[in-house]
Amino acid sequence: MSSICNYSARFVSYRPISDVSSDLTIEIGASSLSLHKFPLVSRSGRIQKLLLESRDSKVSRISFPSVPGGAEAFELAAKFCYGINIEFTLSNVSMLRCIAHFLEMTEEFAEKNLLTRAESYLKETVLSNTANTISALHRCETLLPISEEIKLVNRLVNSIANNVCKEQLTSGLQKLDHSFSSRILEPETPSEWWGKSLNVLNLDFFKRVLSTLKLKGLKQEIISKILINYAHNLVLQTSGIPASELSQYLFLLYNKDATQHLFEVSAGLDSLVMGEGQILAQVKQVVKAGQGVNGFGRNISGLFKHAITVGKRVRTETNISAGAVSVSSAAVELAVMKLPDQASHGNARMLVIGAGKMGKLVIKHLVAKGCKKMVVVNRTEERVSAIRDEINDVEIIYKPLSDMLECVGEADVVFSSTASENPLILKQHVKELPFASEEMGRKRLFVDISVPRNVGSCVDDLESVKVYNVDNLKEVVAANKEDRLRKAMEAQVIIGEESGQFEAWRDSLETVPTIKKLRAYAERLRIIMHTS
């Protein structure tokens, strides 16, 4: 028997070639199928019941707001009812199994009915093959909640776990057979063909598979690699960054190495400016953002909270964040140190001339010191805008180079870091400018980190200013670098102690379920003894 199917955006018509006109219309959402009662009733218990229970013996229309798999699934089921041979595939078997349950197409109403056929395909082709099972599970995502109700999701998840763990056992036995071989065995890695196949699953199904794999005894190293691979794929999908570009920034650490790395990061040992405090604030933000998020459970939350403790302890006991270790950070630190008692970096008017690499670092160090407002003079606004977008909650005002002297006259502290080969600020320029604010003692501070200098050497002769340049800063930087390296060694000792404490805490979590069971068993014994 052949069929003709005509589709439109809102209408689906299915009419077998027959001399008998359609006597039943099935509506599924915005779609409808013109069919015949007899073939449907002969195989579908649900259609049969609906027609029998209807008060209208001549009912010609049945509406389903929704069915698992939609009109596509119902059409395949209808073809099956008409005796048309439908092909079972990995992409439709889950859908057919769900629609068969929905329409009650069981052996009670016809032999070798759709449900039986779907079950046979699942057992023969799907459940014994890991990749096929993953494909069928992926299709279940669009078939909720019925795929859950009929336990299809659980069956597929358990099947994946069983197959994978069998493969692990087989691999282990093969290695045992070769244990006396002189050949060096490669480290175990998850099989390409199933490890990466899990990437197609949504997060909920992926977590369920991973949890079941763990319960079934899959090695933690393999689980970790699968998890990292899934996360990598998820980042690629959501960020739009090419894989080749993203991969160079990714690396994988396990267990104690991962703990050690996070603690070093939190302590500021991994930062460009050793000991800087912004990274600790970012770790705190991770904990705050992770509250209530799936996956940020007791282990991960405990790890990050411990990392915050480590960061605080390192900074308190070693004072590693004190002392500048770059010219730009030394410039900011020196400027802050030289501010009069009545002035502060919070109320002093800051000016940065130049928004190149050094100027950008000066701005970042000012922000790290708590400065919330500054003026930046640059040839073009593009770089200043980029810095403004990168740094939040700070007012950065752009001024063109033509307004430089006017901006200097309105500033208390002036940082200069341009690539100009000639001095930009000369003695006669500064002499004509108004004094700095009263809080600054009416004395303007220049910190010139440009090479060659942007501020003329004679400017320092004026009583209303004080000028510092790169030569004044180099000694401070060299001394601070040596001091920070010594403090970093002290920090590593602290991190080692804290890592041990965290690992002990994490290991103790694994004993909690056993202790609970023992307590429950002891309580049952106590009750039995008390009642007897």
Side-chain angles (χ1 to χ4, degrees):
M1 186 180 294
S2 60
S3 64
I4 299 173
C5 300
N6 299 311
Y7 293 86
S8 66
R10 294 173 52 83
F11 182 79
V12 179
S13 176
Y14 174 75
R15 187 189 301 275
I17 295 176
S18 172
D19 294 333
V20 182
S21 61
S22 169
D23 60 358
L24 181 64
T25 298
I26 302 292
E27 293 180 342
I28 304 165
S31 303
S32 64
L33 296 96
S34 299
L35 303 166
H36 301 85
K37 292 178 183 178
F38 179 74
L40 298 181
V41 168
S42 66
R43 286 189 175 272
S44 170
R46 182 161 191 164
I47 300 288
Q48 185 182 119
K49 290 174 185 176
L50 287 172
L51 291 174
L52 289 173
E53 292 169 0
S54 175
R55 294 180 180 178
D56 183 2
S57 60
K58 295 183 179 181
V59 61
S60 62
R61 186 177 301 271
I62 296 176
S63 296
F64 294 109
S66 65
V67 300
E72 178 192 0
F74 199 101
E75 184 187 351
L76 287 173
K79 286 182 177 181
F80 185 84
C81 291
Y82 278 90
I84 298 172
N85 185 36
I86 62 172
E87 182 184 3
F88 284 84
T89 67
L90 293 176
S91 61
N92 72 18
V93 64
S94 296
M95 178 178 70
L96 290 171
R97 176 62 182 82
C98 290
I99 193 68
H101 174 83
F102 179 82
L103 293 175
E104 299 177 29
M105 298 177 69
T106 64
E107 295 300 294
E108 182 182 349
F109 299 96
E111 289 185 4
K112 297 183 179 179
N113 213 341
L114 185 60
L115 192 145
T116 303
R117 290 279 304 280
E119 279 293 331
S120 296
Y121 187 86
L122 282 168
K123 292 173 182 177
E124 294 169 10
T125 307
V126 177
L127 297 177
S128 59
N129 183 287
T130 305
N132 291 352
T133 311
I134 292 170
S135 178
L137 179 61
H138 176 48
R139 190 68 175 89
C140 284
E141 294 170 4
T142 60
L143 299 168
L144 297 171
I146 197 165
S147 56
E148 288 278 20
E149 292 170 4
I150 63 175
K151 308 295 183 184
L152 181 58
V153 172
N154 281 343
R155 287 174 64 194
L156 295 171
V157 168
N158 283 312
S159 178
I160 293 168
N162 288 334
N163 290 337
V164 168
C165 290
K166 280 181 189 175
E167 182 187 291
Q168 177 181 261
L169 180 60
T170 304
S171 175
L173 291 172
Q174 288 173 349
K175 292 191 176 191
L176 187 63
D177 290 340
H178 296 282
S179 60
F180 298 104
S181 172
S182 59
R183 180 175 60 86
I184 298 175
L185 294 173
E186 293 294 325
E188 285 188 345
T189 57
S191 300
E192 291 286 329
W193 61 272
W194 69 263
K196 290 188 176 179
S197 295
L198 293 174
N199 289 343
V200 302
L201 300 179
N202 66 23
L203 186 58
D204 179 52
F205 279 13
F206 175 77
K207 284 168 57 181
R208 288 172 65 172
V209 171
L210 222 58
S211 297
T212 309
L213 285 168
K214 189 172 182 179
L215 286 173
K216 298 283 186 180
L218 188 66
K219 291 184 178 179
Q220 183 60 47
E221 295 92 327
I222 298 179
I223 291 176
S224 298
K225 289 174 183 176
I226 295 170
L227 182 60
I228 292 296
N229 185 63
Y230 186 86
H232 180 204
N233 186 68
L234 196 62
V235 170
L236 286 175
Q237 288 179 353
T238 55
S239 69
I241 300 173
S244 56
E245 185 178 336
L246 183 64
S247 296
Q248 60 184 310
Y249 299 105
L250 300 176
F251 57 91
L252 180 60
L253 296 173
Y254 296 104
N255 302 322
K256 293 181 180 179
D257 291 335
T259 302
Q260 177 86 6
H261 175 69
L262 180 58
F263 287 2
E264 288 176 355
V265 168
S266 187
L269 301 188
D270 205 46
S271 300
L272 180 64
V273 178
M274 192 180 296
E276 56 89 14
Q278 283 180 301
I279 189 65
L280 183 58
Q282 291 169 6
V283 174
K284 290 178 181 178
Q285 185 60 33
V286 169
V287 175
K288 183 178 179 181
Q291 299 305 311
V293 175
N294 288 335
F296 199 79
R298 191 174 184 183
N299 276 312
I300 300 298
S301 176
L303 174 62
F304 275 86
K305 287 177 180 177
H306 206 112
I308 294 170
T309 301
V310 172
K312 289 178 179 178
R313 184 183 168 193
V314 166
R315 286 169 176 80
T316 301
E317 296 185 17
T318 68
N319 202 23
I320 194 171
S321 57
V325 291
S326 67
V327 170
S328 56
S329 61
V332 172
E333 190 166 305
L334 180 64
V336 172
M337 287 171 55
K338 296 299 181 181
L339 291 174
D341 293 338
Q342 65 272 27
S344 71
H345 54 274
N347 58 33
R349 299 172 298 176
M350 300 289 182
L351 171 65
V352 180
I353 302 174
K357 183 179 179 180
M358 294 295 286
K360 181 178 179 179
L361 287 172
V362 167
I363 293 169
K364 285 191 170 184
H365 287 299
L366 282 171
V367 172
K369 289 291 184 181
C371 182
K372 295 295 184 182
K373 181 179 179 180
M374 66 193 76
V375 176
V376 180
V377 170
N378 198 54
R379 292 184 186 277
T380 62
E381 190 175 0
E382 185 179 358
R383 285 187 175 179
V384 180
S385 296
I387 295 171
R388 191 187 292 124
D389 292 340
E390 188 177 330
I391 301 174
N392 299 320
D393 303 323
V394 177
E395 185 180 359
I396 300 176
I397 303 168
Y398 164 74
K399 293 290 182 179
L401 200 58
S402 56
D403 293 350
M404 181 187 68
L405 291 178
E406 181 184 344
C407 293
V408 171
E410 297 173 352
D412 295 322
V413 181
V414 179
F415 297 91
S416 180
S417 60
T418 77
S420 175
E421 295 184 3
N422 300 307
L424 299 176
I425 303 171
L426 301 174
K427 184 176 181 180
Q428 58 267 33
H429 297 148
V430 180
K431 189 176 181 180
E432 298 173 359
L433 296 175
F435 292 114
S437 62
E438 292 289 344
E439 290 84 358
M440 291 291 293
R442 300 174 64 82
K443 197 165 187 174
R444 184 169 287 108
L445 180 62
F446 287 89
V447 184
D448 184 7
I449 58 176
S450 304
V451 179
R453 298 177 186 176
N454 288 165
V455 181
S457 56
C458 295
V459 173
D460 200 34
D461 295 339
L462 297 172
E463 293 185 3
S464 60
V465 302
K466 179 61 182 174
V467 180
Y468 295 94
N469 55 48
V470 173
D471 294 334
N472 302 120
L473 302 175
K474 283 181 179 177
E475 247 179 74
V476 177
V477 170
N480 285 339
K481 274 187 177 178
E482 186 177 341
D483 184 48
R484 285 206 183 186
L485 288 173
R486 179 182 57 78
K487 289 174 179 176
M489 295 176 68
E490 296 175 10
Q492 286 290 4
V493 174
I494 294 172
I495 289 172
E497 293 174 2
E498 295 288 348
S499 294
Q501 291 179 21
F502 174 76
E503 293 297 330
W505 172 79
R506 193 182 68 172
D507 291 343
S508 71
L509 294 181
E510 297 181 4
T511 65
V512 170
T514 304
I515 293 171
K516 284 183 177 179
K517 288 180 180 178
L518 287 172
R519 284 177 176 172
Y521 181 68
E523 179 62 17
R524 287 197 300 271
L525 287 178
R526 186 188 68 79
I527 293 171
I528 291 170
M529 292 176 69
H530 180 74
T531 54
S532 61

